[in-house]
Amino acid sequence: MQKRLIVLLSLLVVLVMALSAYAAPAPAAETQAGGEEAAAPASAAAEEGEKILVVALGADPTSLDPESVMNNESGFVMSTIFDGLTKYNKGTSEPGPGLAESWEVSEDGTEYTFKLREGVKFHDGTDFNADAALAELDRVINPDNPYYVYNQEGVHSFATFTWGLVTGTEKIDDYTIKITLSEPHAPFLASIAMVWSGMMSPAAVEKYGFDVNYNPVGTGPFKFVEWVRNDHITLEANPDYWGGAPKVDKLIFRVVPESSVRLLKLEQGEVDILADVNPEDYTRIEENADLTLLRQPGLTVNGLTMPFEAEPFTDVRVRQALNYAVNKDEMNEFLYKNAAITAATGMPPILMGYPKDLEPYPYDPEKARELLAEAGYPDGFDFTLLCYENPRGYNPVGIKMAVAIQEYLAEVGVNLKLETLEWGAFLATRRSADNQDMGMVGWSGDNGDPDNFLYEMFSTDMIPVGNTSHYSNPELDDILITARTVTDPEERAKLYEQAATIIHDDAPWLFVNHTLQVRATRANVDGFALNPLQMFWYMEDVDLK
């Protein structure tokens, strides 16, 4: 009870600080496209009779080029602007036809021949065809391309993860292409359906260069209009969308960092959908007849990284001690309102290959103290923890998680100094090769495959951007690389069982939980469906009744 009181008091302090920060004068609006400042709210531009759907985000996107960014806020917006060669079937993580109507795979699993959809145009009026698809792929895989995605400073990209095994591309005819891989890659069709593999207009790349990050041109159901940084992004319906014209005229993503303000705007009808929902608000939403709360199991993992190369975290006993020191079940109950389950390793238990007998580290502060003493830290130690404040799909309570963990660790002598950064700065710092601090960390699945969790976050190849703990284990690397090339599901599952167990035992993270996917809408929002991959797919089907 005493611990619970301490945690709640700490959270109250954080809330007061957050509200004070929100009340501070906002910086002048910065218009990214269109050349004019938006002095009035985006909705003020509505014409009579227009249907405008407004989604509230907890943080501003960092880029809108699918191949040059990897964070959910950017993905939420880009999933409505772009299409990939494949597309997840509605409500699932199974890949189906997208800009490619069909495909054939060679017997050895290394050649994919895609038949492209005819009659599709980019938002700038240029044709999507074989030449356009290959031009986009060249931008992603060819270092000699003047607009090669990795030639930008500070870029964070899935390009290597998705396209890294591509050894050749070929135009068969105007609407047929062949992609050759160096070896079989089981998740390939699912990976190229990710929002991060959306097809950008080659003409837009030529026009804007790397500024295409802020002037996106895709083939999706909505067209980019303007981006006023830290305020809103306005999109308009693409009436010629190959998947069917959207049912609303405009889609606006509005940036509202404070969760209480987001909920108030939803209640007052200023926004229609909350991209992230504070667990403390679940009951209030469910009791309001004008609102709807949607939730389902999520493909998420959430925790803290411990820098694998830095003392004292070079000792596995220290890493395990911190896992024993935190009562995750209590956090799930009081912070996450029972909308999360305790994590044992770096992948969700609903994925193929999760070890059925793998148990989370139990709450055992005495065991934590014993391990710290064995490692030479009987009095604990001090360390810095890098934090973000805004909610995430995998962590809807934001910095409150860090504050709670800080209290638990203090009881075993580990004193964390919380250093809070703005979201963009947080990502840049955490994904730096030089970073040696602990950090808040989490992941929402991108393609529904365990490879997207374990290889992306724990393989040596993905240091420092995906693997922000800089964890390196040659045995694990061999297993993860093999699992990417094996096509037999049972064999892959066994490999991922081994990998998940190794990660649990090595404890490069302080594993916290797997959260549910939760969204809230106005009751008059019709046709909005959750999907396992969190993104705003199929928004052309959403209407306002």
Side-chain angles (χ1 to χ4, degrees):
M1 182 63 71
Q2 182 181 7
K3 162 166 286 299
R4 202 168 296 162
L5 180 60
I6 292 172
V7 172
L8 290 174
L9 287 173
S10 299
L11 296 181
L12 180 60
V13 170
V14 171
L15 180 59
V16 171
M17 293 173 63
L19 287 173
S20 298
Y22 190 83
E30 175 189 344
T31 301
Q32 195 67 59
E36 297 177 359
E37 290 189 356
S43 58
E47 296 180 9
E48 186 176 355
E50 274 191 324
K51 285 186 179 180
I52 299 180
L53 184 69
V54 182
V55 179
L57 303 179
D60 203 31
T62 58
S63 167
L64 294 178
D65 173 13
E67 298 291 359
S68 299
V69 65
M70 45 193 293
N71 66 76
N72 275 4
E73 279 78 17
S74 297
F76 290 161
V77 179
M78 295 188 303
S79 60
T80 68
I81 298 174
F82 293 96
D83 298 307
L85 292 177
T86 56
K87 183 174 183 176
Y88 298 112
N89 294 324
K90 194 170 186 179
T92 78
S93 58
E94 294 294 324
L99 290 175
E101 289 183 314
S102 61
W103 52 85
E104 296 179 358
V105 184
S106 64
E107 288 188 10
D108 66 359
T110 63
E111 292 184 351
Y112 289 75
T113 302
F114 293 95
K115 180 64 177 176
L116 305 182
R117 195 176 298 274
E118 297 186 28
V120 176
K121 290 187 180 292
F122 288 101
H123 300 154
D124 57 11
T126 59
D127 291 330
F128 172 76
N129 52 29
D131 291 330
L134 295 183
E136 173 66 1
L137 292 179
D138 192 71
R139 182 174 78 99
V140 174
I141 65 177
N142 180 12
D144 295 327
N145 187 306
Y147 305 115
Y148 179 54
V149 292
Y150 285 110
N151 285 343
Q152 306 167 77
E153 185 176 350
V155 68
H156 301 143
S157 177
F158 269 101
T160 301
F161 175 85
T162 306
W163 307 105
L165 297 179
V166 175
T167 57
T169 60
E170 180 183 353
K171 176 181 176 180
I172 305 300
D173 59 41
D174 285 347
Y175 289 96
T176 310
I177 63 171
K178 180 190 290 186
I179 298 176
T180 302
L181 309 182
S182 59
E183 59 190 31
H185 185 50
F188 185 63
L189 289 173
S191 292
I192 63 175
M194 296 191 303
V195 66
W196 326 106
S197 301
M199 287 280 158
M200 179 78 77
S201 161
V205 174
E206 288 287 339
K207 178 179 179 179
Y208 296 110
F210 292 127
D211 281 343
V212 77
N213 287 306
Y214 314 109
N215 296 275
V217 180
T219 61
F222 289 90
K223 303 178 182 181
F224 176 74
V225 176
E226 68 171 0
W227 181 1
V228 179
R229 299 307 299 266
N230 298 303
D231 189 85
H232 71 269
I233 293 173
T234 300
L235 312 176
E236 65 181 10
N238 175 11
D240 302 316
Y241 183 51
W242 61 267
K247 294 178 172 60
V248 299
D249 301 294
K250 287 182 179 177
L251 174 60
I252 295 173
F253 289 89
R254 185 168 294 285
V255 180
V256 186
E258 176 51 48
S259 60
S260 62
V261 179
R262 284 197 304 277
L263 178 57
L264 186 61
K265 287 182 178 293
L266 183 72
E267 291 171 331
Q268 294 177 342
E270 294 181 43
V271 303
D272 303 297
I273 300 173
L274 299 188
D276 293 301
V277 186
N278 188 333
E280 294 179 357
D281 297 331
Y282 292 169
T283 301
R284 180 169 157 182
I285 292 170
E286 289 178 313
E287 291 176 349
N288 188 332
D290 294 327
L291 307 180
T292 301
L293 190 72
L294 305 171
R295 49 183 157 186
Q296 68 177 17
L299 290 175
T300 66
V301 64
N302 181 36
L304 304 183
T305 58
M306 294 175 272
F308 197 67
E309 308 154 320
E311 297 287 350
F313 297 111
T314 53
D315 193 319
V316 66
R317 292 171 296 187
V318 173
R319 303 194 300 270
Q320 291 177 344
L322 268 61
N323 273 282
Y324 282 114
V326 175
N327 191 336
K328 297 117 176 188
D329 292 340
E330 187 174 69
M331 289 177 63
N332 289 341
E333 181 180 358
F334 291 99
L335 271 185
Y336 294 89
K337 305 302 178 185
N338 295 313
I341 60 172
T342 299
T345 189
M347 63 183 280
I350 60 176
L351 286 181
M352 167 189 70
Y354 189 89
K356 293 181 175 57
D357 57 351
L358 192 65
E359 295 291 336
Y361 286 88
Y363 177 51
D364 190 342
E366 193 56 42
K367 176 72 170 177
R369 293 186 188 96
E370 290 176 6
L371 287 171
L372 288 171
E374 289 175 13
Y377 298 93
D379 300 320
F381 57 89
D382 299 344
F383 219 81
T384 297
L385 172 64
L386 298 181
C387 304
Y388 56 81
E389 288 194 78
N390 49 288
R392 314 293 304 147
Y394 48 77
N395 177 31
V397 303
I399 196 174
K400 295 177 185 178
M401 179 187 80
V403 175
I405 291 174
Q406 181 187 44
E407 295 290 340
Y408 286 116
L409 294 185
E411 291 192 358
V412 299
V414 176
N415 301 304
L416 295 185
K417 175 188 175 184
L418 306 189
E419 182 178 332
T420 306
L421 302 174
E422 175 274 328
W423 179 239
F426 173 84
L427 290 178
T429 304
R430 294 286 292 117
R431 293 170 175 175
S432 165
D434 299 325
N435 180 54
Q436 295 291 296
D437 293 318
M438 293 179 67
M440 295 173 67
V441 68
W443 196 258
S444 299
D446 296 287
N447 64 5
D449 194 279
D451 176 74
N452 180 238
F453 282 86
L454 301 189
Y455 186 85
E456 180 66 30
M457 293 184 292
F458 301 101
S459 72
T460 303
D461 287 346
M462 300 312 292
I463 297 171
V465 174
N467 182 350
T468 54
S469 64
H470 301 182
Y471 169 58
S472 182
N473 182 326
E475 178 189 5
L476 177 69
D477 288 340
D478 288 343
I479 292 171
L480 293 178
I481 290 171
T482 301
R484 304 185 96 200
T485 62
V486 169
T487 55
D488 178 73
E490 290 187 8
E491 188 176 349
R492 289 191 80 213
K494 291 178 181 178
L495 290 168
Y496 286 122
E497 287 179 10
Q498 296 175 38
T501 302
I502 289 172
I503 292 167
H504 168 272
D505 294 345
D506 271 354
W509 285 21
L510 196 168
F511 303 109
V512 176
N513 57 24
H514 308 288
T515 55
L516 297 182
Q517 182 187 165
V518 182
R519 300 277 188 263
T521 74
R522 297 284 301 172
N524 68 322
V525 173
D526 185 48
F528 179 69
L530 299 182
N531 66 84
L533 305 172
Q534 303 261 8
M535 295 298 137
F536 283 76
W537 305 117
Y538 293 97
M539 291 298 282
E540 65 273 20
D541 295 337
V542 180
D543 200 357
L544 294 171
K545 292 187 292 187

